[in-house]
Amino acid sequence: MPIDFANELNPSQLEAVMHQGSPALVIAGAGSGKTRTIVYRLARLVQDGVPPENILLLTFTRKAAQEMLLRAGSILGRNLSGTSGGTFHSFAYGVLRRNGRTLGFETGFTLMDRADSENVVKEVKDNLKLGKGDRSYPKKNTLLDMITKSRNKERSIDAIVESEAYHLSAYAEDFQSIAGEYTRFKQSHALMDYDDLLFRFEELLRSDPSLLEELRARYQHIMVDEYQDTNKVQARLVRLLSGESGDVVAVGDDAQSIYAFRGADVANILDFPKIFKDAKLIRLERNYRSTQAILNLTNHILAGAHTKFDKTLVSDRDTGRLPRIVHPLSDQTQAKQVVEEVIKLAKKYPLHDIAVLFRAGYQSYPLEVALSRVGIRYQKYGGLRFHEAAHIKDVLAYLRLTHNPADMVAWRRVFAPIKGIGPKTADRIAKARLTADGKYIAKAMKRFPALRELFDHLDGLRNCSRPGQALERINMFYQPILAELYPDDYPKRQTGLDQLSQIATNYTSIDDFLADLTLDGDQEEEKRKEHALVLSTVHSSKGLEWSAVLIIDLVEDRFPSKRALARPEDMDEERRLLYVACTRAKDSLTMFVPATIFNRFNAVSEPATPSPFIAELPGDCAEMWRETYASGLRQETQHAGTHASGVNGNALPAEPSDTLSPGPATGTPKLGICRHKIFGQGKIIAQIPPNKYRVNFPGFGLKVIVADYLELL
């Protein structure tokens, strides 16, 4: 019996499913039934007589392709065997295996996995005699990361190092040498890595016109899922395979393009109508996940983007309760407020149906401690759990020895950075220290001179009664060790240590501090998944949903990240990240904007600027709550947004001169780049009427400048 598509789909989905005769771009808003649309289009093509072998379905995971083909087959009541469905890489691999001779692979080639590639990079580095004797030399996985990022983003390695790994700039020339030799090694040994599959496939298609025509003749109907996540070469492959006017349907959402760090290029989806002539643009705007109140807020967030496809998500559900924007007094009290909110929500939803989202993995550390203290189980996606991170374990080992000098595990950890001391030697030295074996200790210090400094440091720690005081001394001692042990990413790890110091300021007892950090225990992973709160970075949350979502640290330098403040395109991606975070919520959305952020370097809390994405929200899309000095929450009479949120998260006086104006979407002068005589070029973040701007100057940070002293570029 033929499928009644009109009865199964909403009008926009039906338009996408039935479209034919020209390329089409389906902009599928969050929760709008993207997968359902692709599945029914597959079914419609086959029902209309298209042989399955003439269909090519490209996705980003093999599992996604298999599920779509199975669902389409179930709808049709027949198997879709013969359909080519899978990832870009798997499709490229199949074609390259059959046609490798064209590229000089006379007897075929071997595909390397990640571990193989890392080992080859190490061999190449060793053959070039680079990094010999340098303990801080980047590890093989970092070397491969630099090469892979350079290829996928199609930027020079110098540019990648400058923008993403400046602390490794001393090795930039080495990276280039290794990359060149790595390429030669692969070619001479008939090897390919995953990146090669795409670039060599493109090379094959361009060098063999007859093969290209053969593929175009076979795959007359092409569908691409998650088009916003394609990189430059993947977009070129789609164009090559389909031609400029072929039957290609790309499905995705520019507002969910959040993987630029992997090489994804949002321009691919934004420029689709320019690249494919006469392309039909279809918008899926009916959302089946969230309440309308949540969508009203996300629509406002998207409105401020500089480059986007206009769309307005409309819910298929009731309006629901307004989202809440909570202003804790500080990032230190934020964890307490989140825990209290989770406890309330847990009366209505199971724990695994509640999620706390954050921009970076380290931001959940204070919350992890607070959750452990009250016995709430959690599972974390994106970034290591706090107590599992190696550098956190390193620092805590020093602290543990002030509490328990017989802690052999801690002794091994603090001895490990000293060259020549392995576990057995570490045990002997520790035992000699505990048994007052001065003779052995003297002998060991002569053999390992660094021991004296370590012992002096540990002795000094015994005079510290508070964990915060002890951690200050530990951080000073550990700083050069951190850079040596983890040369590839020590700036990122330092941020985690800063969070540890911040947490410690809430404790007066080292014993209590250590206990709270280790009370989590070892529950079984399966039980965690069923009965545990979800903590997740926003990137790891994409594609998931929960009844209740809480988002933390919505202040400048944290969300958006500090690095994003300088470039409009990076700010747009941060905006999309927040949109993704908010649209994970089905029923309840709570956003936390701490008024102050603790600065461990001067041991004080400093005023924080609310995220510009929060500051620009109109007053009617969310409730605003503030933490009182009595530790409770009080609802403000005005709603959250530009009319009720001050620069530091405090209630504003009536004068309009202190009100942060919204971005270009709400009618103020367009924000952009400016120049200052002293600070140089900067990015205007917000206008402060009547005549001031908040500007981010690279190297100087955020400044409020009178307009007369700025040259607008």
Side-chain angles (χ1 to χ4, degrees):
M1 180 181 294
I3 304 166
D4 183 0
F5 292 101
N7 193 47
E8 298 289 335
L9 305 162
N10 69 38
S12 297
Q13 292 172 335
L14 181 64
E15 183 181 8
V17 166
M18 304 305 293
H19 176 77
Q20 57 188 15
S22 70
L25 175 62
V26 180
I27 300 298
S32 63
K34 168 182 70 72
T35 300
R36 183 179 181 83
T37 302
I38 295 173
V39 166
Y40 272 86
R41 181 171 175 82
L42 282 168
R44 197 276 295 173
L45 287 171
V46 176
Q47 180 172 285
D48 284 358
V50 174
E53 56 269 22
N54 290 151
I55 300 173
L56 174 60
L57 172 64
L58 294 172
T59 62
F60 276 80
T61 66
R62 185 181 302 175
K63 181 180 177 183
Q66 290 173 342
E67 288 181 353
M68 289 176 185
L69 292 172
L70 282 173
R71 285 177 58 180
S74 177
I75 291 168
L76 284 167
R78 56 164 289 188
N79 196 311
L80 264 66
S81 60
T83 304
S84 293
T87 65
F88 279 87
H89 292 85
S90 63
F91 180 68
Y93 178 73
V95 178
L96 285 167
R97 290 292 292 178
R98 295 188 296 273
N99 300 274
R101 284 189 173 84
T102 305
L103 299 178
F105 296 103
E106 295 299 330
T107 58
F109 63 88
T110 299
L111 178 64
M112 300 186 293
D113 62 15
R114 173 77 189 197
D116 294 331
S117 298
E118 288 181 0
N119 290 334
V120 170
V121 164
K122 183 181 184 304
E123 183 176 341
V124 164
K125 181 205 72 164
D126 292 343
N127 290 341
L128 292 171
K129 295 181 168 42
L130 296 174
K132 194 172 183 180
D134 182 355
R135 293 184 69 185
S136 65
Y137 202 84
K139 296 178 176 60
K140 60 184 180 181
N141 62 316
T142 299
L143 295 173
L144 185 60
D145 281 345
M146 292 295 109
I147 296 169
T148 294
K149 285 184 178 182
S150 173
R151 296 195 73 192
N152 281 306
K153 295 188 177 186
E154 300 188 29
R155 299 174 64 199
S156 70
I157 287 181
D158 279 346
I160 296 296
V161 172
E162 183 178 351
S163 63
E164 299 184 31
Y166 190 74
H167 60 289
L168 298 177
S169 56
Y171 302 106
E173 190 173 330
D174 285 9
F175 292 154
Q176 292 190 25
S177 299
I178 292 168
E181 193 58 35
Y182 175 61
T183 299
R184 286 186 285 274
F185 186 100
K186 287 184 295 180
Q187 185 65 34
S188 64
H189 292 81
L191 298 170
M192 282 196 201
D193 60 22
Y194 280 5
D195 298 331
D196 290 325
L197 290 176
L198 301 183
F199 288 100
R200 300 309 295 267
F201 183 34
E202 180 186 22
E203 181 186 344
L204 176 64
L205 295 181
R206 294 188 185 281
S207 62
D208 191 341
S210 61
L211 173 63
L212 178 58
E213 287 306 314
E214 178 187 326
L215 292 174
R216 284 180 176 176
R218 175 175 178 181
Y219 299 113
Q220 298 173 18
H221 305 274
I222 299 175
M223 279 183 281
V224 188
D225 187 22
E226 304 284 14
Y227 198 74
Q228 78 280 351
D229 293 337
T230 55
N231 60 20
K232 294 177 185 294
V233 66
Q234 287 167 330
R236 293 196 298 270
L237 287 170
V238 171
R239 186 177 181 185
L240 274 170
L241 289 167
S242 65
E244 289 188 11
S245 57
D247 186 354
V248 56
V249 175
V251 183
D253 184 4
D254 58 299
Q256 295 187 71
S257 180
I258 60 173
Y259 293 115
F261 67 95
R262 294 181 186 168
D265 191 343
V266 70
N268 291 343
I269 192 168
L270 293 173
D271 293 343
F272 188 95
K274 301 175 188 175
I275 295 170
F276 293 92
K277 309 303 180 187
D278 303 318
K280 177 76 172 178
L281 185 61
I282 302 169
R283 293 176 173 85
L284 305 186
E285 297 175 298
R286 181 161 293 282
N287 177 284
Y288 295 93
R289 176 188 300 149
S290 306
T291 63
Q292 188 61 52
I294 292 173
L295 296 183
N296 289 341
L297 182 142
T298 61
N299 287 334
H300 282 299
I301 290 172
L302 279 188
H306 289 80
T307 53
K308 64 182 185 298
F309 286 112
D310 291 326
K311 62 176 172 293
T312 302
L313 295 183
V314 179
S315 180
D316 201 48
R317 303 177 56 203
D318 294 334
T319 299
R321 180 181 177 178
L322 283 176
R324 298 201 310 159
I325 298 179
V326 178
H327 290 265
L329 290 170
S330 71
D331 56 340
Q332 298 175 76
T333 64
Q334 175 181 242
K336 175 176 176 291
Q337 295 297 338
V338 171
V339 168
E340 290 180 359
E341 184 67 15
V342 167
I343 291 172
K344 293 176 186 174
L345 289 167
K347 296 176 181 177
K348 187 174 182 181
Y349 309 109
L351 273 177
H352 61 259
D353 202 18
I354 305 170
V356 182
L357 307 183
F358 32 86
R359 174 66 180 81
Y362 75 86
Q363 289 172 276
S364 69
Y365 289 171
L367 177 58
E368 291 179 48
V369 176
L371 291 168
S372 297
R373 190 183 304 143
V374 297
I376 296 178
R377 290 179 175 177
Y378 65 90
Q379 53 186 321
K380 185 174 180 180
Y381 301 108
L384 286 172
R385 290 159 61 88
F386 189 37
H387 61 275
E388 294 172 349
H391 55 295
I392 300 295
K393 287 183 174 181
D394 291 345
V395 166
L396 290 179
Y398 298 101
L399 201 58
R400 284 164 56 178
L401 288 173
T402 68
H403 171 66
N404 176 16
D407 187 339
M408 298 305 292
V409 174
W411 278 115
R412 288 180 185 178
R413 201 156 195 107
V414 301
F415 285 144
I418 301 177
K419 192 172 183 179
I421 298 183
K424 290 183 180 178
T425 305
D427 289 351
R428 290 195 200 102
I429 297 173
K431 287 175 183 176
R433 180 84 174 186
L434 291 172
T435 57
D437 187 348
K439 195 172 182 180
Y440 185 87
I441 291 295
K443 184 179 177 182
M445 286 195 294
K446 188 175 181 180
R447 183 182 175 191
F448 307 109
L451 273 178
R452 184 177 297 279
E453 185 182 3
L454 172 61
F455 287 149
D456 288 345
H457 169 62
L458 292 172
D459 286 337
L461 290 179
R462 296 165 71 185
N463 298 321
C464 299
S465 60
R466 291 173 173 264
Q469 179 189 13
L471 282 174
E472 284 301 312
R473 299 187 67 153
I474 293 171
N475 277 322
M476 291 177 62
F477 179 82
Y478 184 69
Q479 192 68 41
I481 297 174
L482 177 72
E484 184 176 351
L485 289 180
Y486 311 104
D488 304 29
D489 62 353
Y490 67 86
K492 181 179 178 181
R493 292 175 186 265
Q494 182 59 55
T495 306
L497 294 178
D498 291 345
Q499 282 286 51
L500 182 66
S501 295
Q502 174 186 325
I503 295 167
T505 61
N506 298 318
Y507 291 82
T508 58
S509 162
I510 291 177
D511 288 358
D512 291 345
F513 177 62
L514 289 172
D516 279 354
L517 288 178
T518 54
L519 272 178
D520 191 40
D522 294 318
Q523 291 93 1
E524 295 177 20
E525 190 64 25
E526 288 306 310
K527 290 182 180 178
R528 281 189 185 284
K529 292 179 180 177
E530 294 176 8
H531 307 290
L533 174 71
V534 175
L535 307 183
S536 177
T537 61
V538 180
H539 284 100
S540 296
S541 75
K542 187 171 179 289
L544 303 175
E545 61 181 40
W546 297 272
S547 290
V549 168
L550 303 88
I551 309 171
I552 62 173
D553 276 355
L554 283 162
V555 294
E556 285 187 1
D557 288 357
R558 293 194 175 185
F559 205 149
S561 67
K562 190 172 186 177
R563 185 183 297 171
L565 293 171
R567 300 199 316 162
E569 56 266 41
D570 291 340
M571 282 293 285
D572 266 7
E573 176 145 332
E574 295 289 309
R575 183 183 295 277
R576 297 193 293 267
L577 265 175
L578 184 56
Y579 164 82
V580 168
C582 293
T583 53
R584 301 309 95 196
K586 294 190 286 186
D587 304 324
S588 173
L589 175 63
T590 309
M591 309 164 83
F592 290 83
V593 187
T596 60
I597 298 292
F598 182 78
N599 184 331
R600 81 170 185 88
F601 295 104
N602 54 22
V604 297
S605 288
E606 298 177 338
T609 302
S611 169
F613 311 136
I614 297 296
E616 69 189 24
L617 290 173
D620 59 354
C621 70
E623 298 175 358
M624 185 178 73
W625 294 72
R626 294 195 185 280
E627 183 182 6
T628 67
Y629 290 107
S631 294
L633 290 180
R634 182 185 70 241
Q635 185 174 0
E636 297 289 302
T637 53
Q638 286 180 299
H639 293 309
T642 55
H643 308 298
S645 178
V647 178
N648 300 324
N650 299 317
L652 292 172
E655 292 86 344
S657 60
D658 287 333
T659 302
L660 277 180
S661 296
T666 47
T668 59
K670 187 173 182 179
L671 308 182
I673 305 300
C674 65
R675 188 182 302 280
H676 186 270
K677 286 185 178 179
I678 296 175
F679 302 120
Q681 186 167 298
K683 171 72 171 64
I684 298 174
I685 302 302
Q687 183 185 25
I688 305 175
N691 66 336
K692 295 179 182 178
Y693 289 100
R694 181 175 297 280
V695 184
N696 182 60
F697 294 100
F700 295 97
L702 291 168
K703 306 288 182 184
V704 175
I705 306 289
V706 175
D708 293 344
Y709 293 93
L710 293 174
E711 176 189 357
L712 300 181
L713 301 179

